[in-house]
Amino acid sequence: MAFDFKKEYKEFYLPRNKPGIVTVPPANYIAVRGKGDPNEEGGAYQQAIGVLYSVAYTLKMSYKGKHKIEGFYQYVVPPLEGFWWQDDVDGVDYTDKSSFNWISVIRLPDFITKADFDWAVYEAEKKKKIDCSKAEFLRIDEGLCVQIMHIGSFDDEPAAVSLMDKFLFENGYVNDMSGNRLHHEIYLSDARKVDGNKLKTVIRHPIKK
């Protein structure tokens, strides 16, 4: 049976719909950086998603070809994630999505090396006929965070963030946003197929005592 990150690491992918504290260990990701409205048809964000999945599935299906990855086991491609921020904005201004900076990521199994990643980028470009040069092998160490399962539209996220902020205040923590510690979302639903009111999104913020 294929390894499924969501099932094996429920504390990171399937939190309850009320705030909780979690310490997230370092992990490797396929990442693409960019800026702009994620809803723009054919825009930079949607192109980035195409690159991420092309590389991710090239790695997942590598066992069927000549490139052998040491320690490989079959796995389910983890969900799409995103780190978001806006220049000179405290928090998130959902009314100005064109000003979003983002790092879109898909987690990699630990057995995938930088060399395997580089091979997959080359193969994805060759087979899919798309430019994957913006893809990078990125290690992220989130550390201490607060998170919540948000069910509903992305535009309704401020209500969930308010719950997290209240929880932090009551338990002696504060947000610790910085250039290296960002607003983080994990997308458990396909927004193209699921009604906006039923979207499941993990929202995670870095914190400190």
Side-chain angles (χ1 to χ4, degrees):
M1 192 170 182
F3 184 92
D4 188 335
F5 286 84
K6 296 191 300 297
K7 294 179 181 178
E8 298 295 332
Y9 301 120
K10 291 181 179 179
E11 67 269 37
F12 304 130
Y13 291 97
L14 298 171
R16 294 181 294 176
N17 60 348
K18 61 181 183 179
I21 304 294
V22 64
T23 300
V24 185
N28 297 327
Y29 296 83
I30 311 165
V32 178
R33 302 170 188 264
K35 183 170 184 173
D37 187 341
N39 298 319
E40 180 187 350
E41 193 67 35
Y45 181 79
Q46 294 187 10
Q47 292 178 36
I49 304 310
V51 170
L52 289 175
Y53 278 107
S54 294
V55 176
Y57 276 95
T58 298
L59 287 164
K60 171 183 166 61
M61 303 307 294
S62 63
Y63 72 96
K64 291 189 173 183
K66 294 181 180 179
H67 183 86
K68 301 303 179 184
I69 297 177
E70 186 176 352
F72 183 94
Y73 52 77
Q74 293 196 42
Y75 62 96
V76 177
V77 171
L80 178 68
E81 308 182 37
F83 294 87
W84 300 83
W85 74 99
Q86 290 162 303
D87 298 327
D88 303 318
V89 174
D90 183 17
V92 181
D93 178 5
Y94 290 87
T95 66
D96 185 15
K97 295 178 181 177
S98 64
S99 68
F100 276 133
N101 299 285
W102 38 263
I103 307 172
S104 293
V105 303
I106 293 178
R107 184 172 175 175
L108 291 168
D110 291 341
F111 58 74
I112 291 176
T113 66
K114 177 62 164 55
D116 296 320
F117 171 84
D118 290 341
W119 166 83
V121 169
Y122 174 80
E123 284 294 306
E125 280 197 345
K126 187 170 67 173
K127 292 182 178 179
K128 300 292 185 180
K129 303 291 191 273
I130 61 173
D131 180 8
C132 295
S133 61
K134 289 186 177 180
E136 61 180 288
F137 184 87
L138 184 63
R139 187 164 181 82
I140 299 173
D141 184 1
E142 287 192 88
L144 190 66
C145 296
V146 61
Q147 65 181 15
I148 192 171
M149 178 70 79
H150 170 64
I151 299 176
S153 166
F154 299 130
D155 290 339
D156 293 334
E157 287 184 6
V161 171
S162 292
L163 288 176
M164 292 198 297
D165 288 345
K166 182 173 183 290
F167 174 84
L168 295 179
F169 177 77
E170 292 173 347
N171 289 275
Y173 294 89
V174 293
N175 282 298
D176 190 29
M177 300 280 194
S178 68
N180 296 319
R181 307 192 76 202
L182 301 166
H183 173 93
H184 184 184
E185 300 180 358
I186 303 174
Y187 309 107
L188 302 179
S189 306
D190 187 337
R192 300 168 301 176
K193 301 176 182 178
V194 177
D195 183 271
N197 294 325
K198 298 179 180 178
L199 291 172
K200 291 184 178 181
T201 307
V202 179
I203 303 175
R204 185 181 293 161
H205 282 175
I207 61 172
K208 62 183 179 181
K209 271 287 188 180

